[in-house]
Amino acid sequence: MRRKKKRIVFENVEVLDAAAKGKTIGKAPDGRVIFLNNAVPGDVVDVQTTKKRKAYFEGSAINFHTLSDKRVTPKCEHFGVCGGCKWQNMGYDSQLEYKQNEVTNNLTRIGHLELPEVTPILGSAAQYFYRNKMEFSFSDSRWLTLDEINSEKEITEKNALGFHIPGMWDKILDIKKCHLQADPSNAIRLEIKNFSIANGLSFFNPRNQHGLLRTVMIRTSSTGEIMVMVQFFEENKTKRELLLNHLAKTFPEITALLYVVNQKQNDTIYDQEIICFAGRDHIFEEMEGLKFKINAKSFYQTNSDQAYELYKITRDFAGLTGEELVYDLYTGTGTIAQFVSKKAKKVVGIEAVPEAIEDAKANAIHNKIENVDFFAGDMKNIFNEEFINTHGVPDTIITDPPRDGMHKDVVQQILNIAPKKVVYVSCNSATQARDLALMQELYKITKTQAVDMFPQTHHVENVVLLEKRA
């Protein structure tokens, strides 16, 4: 019989700093680091360990002796269970301080990079209700809170429409109010849930793969347009139309009411047919007079206001005069490419997702932009010598890769063609640091600017300007 390992308790641990992935750091008596999931720097706590490793522990604070002056009261009743806004208990100025520190530490410690004077992080004017896209999941056996488990009340309502409990793919927390997306997001979600329960529409069971209602996606735009897409698991036209007709009648402000019937084992929609039930099959986002068409599968930065600030910094770092050939790597739907196009001679955008490139081309036509070209293909394969010979050697490269950063072949190709400037936009400063370290012999960092796109979370974007060494 396997013996259960005894959990260790450390008393009076001072929480010293913030760490990666929203955790904080304390020190055990033997000097080993303790990663905590529920404390704020400045707290003094007793810690019960949950994992023991050679170099560190993981644990939770079980008793608070001193509360940090960085603490604030979380706005959301679901804080600590949902897992979506892990820093809601920390003041916003402190959040920005730790995000700035993370970026700087990653660049200097991982990349061993020499930095210019660091421009202070740009905070978000809106610290709540800033997201333009939210996805919610249905469940017929919702997650029960500790209060519910410990109470003697019989649990009769087990349906949920909300978020996955962190690390548990089949457990859904029912959300009463989410503070991430502005009205009418909460009203739409609650109406879907309440109407479905009242009319006997079954909620999904991910383990047993049955139930009518699977997920809901709500997108909003700065232009006031709204998209709602309901994902059904079972094909039932009568029940489907009952819900969708009710939504269309109750919320006439919905611009695009869509649905998909997805009977796969996973929720991804990128290989599914999206059907328009009412209105348009898309909404529009707008930035400096440019309009961007967004459909259910489109990628767009989820904080519209901060996306504008991020793109302005990117354009300013590029310092375009109107004479440059610019390559925009990982262009997505071409938002950055079109945003900088009026300052460039020509912009070439490259992206792996063909549907995103089709959106980019359509948006360019709609915006009457003629000095942009878009190409689809795996970056490490398409961005080759033949492509450069065909489209020209860029004066400036803008790159905004996914969290994993750039493939080493892409980095090497940039070094091969050696443009005068590279503007590197990153949502993961650790992989950004890794890539920049490979480029430091040829390039020096002349500007760096962190941007907070996601208040109440540990996530942060960073923009770096590289200029070729003399």
Side-chain angles (χ1 to χ4, degrees):
M1 183 176 176
R2 193 175 179 182
R3 294 182 64 183
K4 194 173 183 179
K5 289 184 179 179
K6 185 178 179 181
R7 293 184 174 182
I8 305 168
V9 174
F10 296 118
E11 296 182 346
N12 292 299
V13 174
E14 182 182 358
V15 185
L16 302 170
D17 203 351
K21 299 182 180 179
K23 295 182 182 294
T24 49
I25 295 175
K27 286 284 184 73
D30 65 1
R32 276 185 282 184
V33 167
I34 310 170
F35 292 107
L36 297 160
N37 59 17
N38 63 338
V40 170
D43 287 340
V44 178
V45 300
D46 294 338
V47 178
Q48 183 174 69
T49 61
T50 54
K51 287 184 182 178
K52 179 182 177 182
R53 296 290 184 263
K54 187 175 181 180
Y56 65 89
F57 296 94
E58 292 183 19
S60 299
I62 56 173
N63 185 35
F64 290 78
H65 296 287
T66 303
L67 294 178
S68 170
D69 59 6
K70 295 178 171 63
R71 277 189 169 272
V72 296
T73 302
K75 287 184 179 289
C76 182
E77 66 181 284
H78 304 297
F79 175 77
V81 183
C82 163
C85 302
K86 293 181 179 178
W87 280 7
Q88 255 194 60
N89 58 353
M90 191 192 302
Y92 190 54
D93 287 345
S94 296
Q95 293 182 30
L96 293 178
E97 175 189 345
Y98 288 116
K99 291 184 185 194
Q100 179 76 78
N101 290 345
E102 178 184 321
V103 169
T104 303
N105 288 339
N106 282 341
L107 295 181
T108 55
R109 293 179 182 177
I110 296 176
H112 304 289
L113 301 164
E114 185 179 335
L115 301 182
E117 183 178 350
V118 176
T119 309
I121 186 172
L122 180 66
S124 174
Q127 288 145 40
Y128 290 94
F129 302 112
Y130 58 82
R131 286 186 65 100
N132 57 38
K133 179 184 177 184
M134 297 295 293
E135 296 177 82
F136 306 97
S137 296
F138 291 91
S139 173
D140 67 354
S141 52
R142 67 180 175 85
W143 177 261
L144 301 179
T145 65
L146 281 175
D147 288 342
E148 288 177 312
I149 292 170
N150 293 331
S151 74
E152 296 180 357
K153 293 181 180 178
E154 182 184 359
I155 307 297
T156 56
E157 182 50 64
K158 293 189 177 181
N159 286 322
L161 178 53
F163 299 130
H164 287 267
I165 295 291
M168 299 185 184
W169 62 273
D170 63 334
K171 302 298 183 184
I172 304 297
L173 175 69
D174 190 51
I175 299 294
K176 294 180 174 62
K177 180 178 181 179
C178 179
H179 288 73
L180 286 176
Q181 189 175 36
D183 292 336
S185 175
N186 279 300
I188 291 171
R189 187 191 72 255
L190 291 172
E191 186 62 30
I192 290 172
K193 179 194 168 188
N194 293 336
F195 181 83
S196 298
I197 291 172
N199 288 273
L201 306 185
S202 59
F203 287 32
F204 190 56
N205 185 302
R207 282 195 174 274
N208 299 322
Q209 295 279 299
H210 66 70
L212 178 70
L213 298 164
R214 190 163 188 167
T215 67
V216 173
M217 178 178 72
I218 302 175
R219 300 186 86 146
T220 55
S221 74
S222 60
T223 62
E225 297 190 334
I226 302 167
M227 173 186 291
V228 177
M229 188 196 76
V230 181
Q231 185 173 178
F232 298 91
F233 179 70
E234 297 171 352
E235 171 58 73
N236 188 313
K237 182 181 179 185
T238 302
K239 291 182 178 180
R240 179 174 70 237
E241 292 187 350
L242 178 68
L243 174 60
L244 295 176
N245 278 320
H246 176 73
L247 278 177
K249 182 179 178 181
T250 308
F251 299 98
E253 63 267 41
I254 293 176
T255 312
L257 182 55
L258 318 173
Y259 75 89
V260 59
V261 179
N262 178 8
Q263 297 183 324
K264 297 183 304 168
Q265 287 196 329
N266 62 64
D267 294 340
T268 57
I269 63 169
Y270 294 98
D271 57 350
Q272 300 292 296
E273 180 187 6
I274 310 296
I275 300 168
C276 181
F277 183 81
R280 301 198 303 255
D281 67 353
H282 60 276
I283 58 176
F284 282 105
E285 187 55 84
E286 189 171 346
M287 193 180 291
E288 281 192 356
L290 299 175
K291 284 194 170 184
F292 299 103
K293 178 182 176 183
I294 299 169
N295 61 45
K297 298 180 183 180
S298 296
F299 170 79
Y300 192 83
Q301 289 281 0
T302 51
N303 184 337
S304 298
D305 291 343
Q306 280 298 86
Y308 181 42
E309 299 301 326
L310 181 73
Y311 294 169
K312 283 194 292 183
I313 290 167
T314 301
R315 185 173 61 190
D316 289 347
F317 276 23
L320 303 174
T321 65
E323 297 301 317
E324 293 89 354
L325 171 61
V326 179
Y327 277 20
D328 182 28
L329 309 185
Y330 311 93
T331 191
T333 54
T335 46
I336 291 179
Q338 293 177 64
F339 190 75
V340 304
S341 63
K342 60 186 174 184
K343 298 274 189 177
K345 184 175 182 180
K346 186 172 182 178
V347 184
V348 175
I350 309 172
E351 166 62 40
V353 181
E355 292 85 356
I357 288 297
E358 292 307 310
D359 286 345
K361 291 177 178 178
N363 285 330
I365 292 170
H366 184 85
N367 290 319
K368 298 182 172 58
I369 298 174
E370 297 179 350
N371 65 331
V372 294
D373 282 333
F374 294 106
F375 301 91
D378 186 311
M379 191 65 62
K380 69 180 185 298
N381 297 328
I382 190 174
F383 182 51
N384 55 28
E385 188 174 347
E386 181 183 354
F387 187 92
I388 304 297
N389 290 337
T390 302
H391 301 287
V393 177
D395 303 291
T396 301
I397 285 179
I398 297 171
T399 181
D400 186 6
R403 289 193 63 79
D404 289 342
M406 296 190 289
H407 191 278
K408 65 181 188 302
D409 292 350
V410 177
V411 175
Q412 186 58 52
Q413 184 62 279
I414 293 174
L415 294 174
N416 291 344
I417 59 179
K420 296 174 185 175
K421 294 180 182 179
V422 178
V423 182
Y424 191 146
V425 184
S426 173
C427 60
N428 184 347
S429 57
T431 54
Q432 182 185 46
R434 177 204 67 201
D435 294 345
L436 295 177
L438 298 174
M439 305 170 73
Q440 63 180 330
E441 284 192 18
L442 187 59
Y443 289 96
K444 64 178 179 179
I445 298 174
T446 55
K447 291 182 182 179
T448 177
Q449 168 83 72
V451 181
D452 184 23
M453 304 286 286
F454 306 105
Q456 318 309 329
T457 79
H458 64 280
H459 297 290
V460 59
E461 298 264 340
N462 192 49
V463 189
V464 167
L465 171 61
L466 300 173
E467 295 188 79
K468 199 156 62 166
R469 296 183 186 274

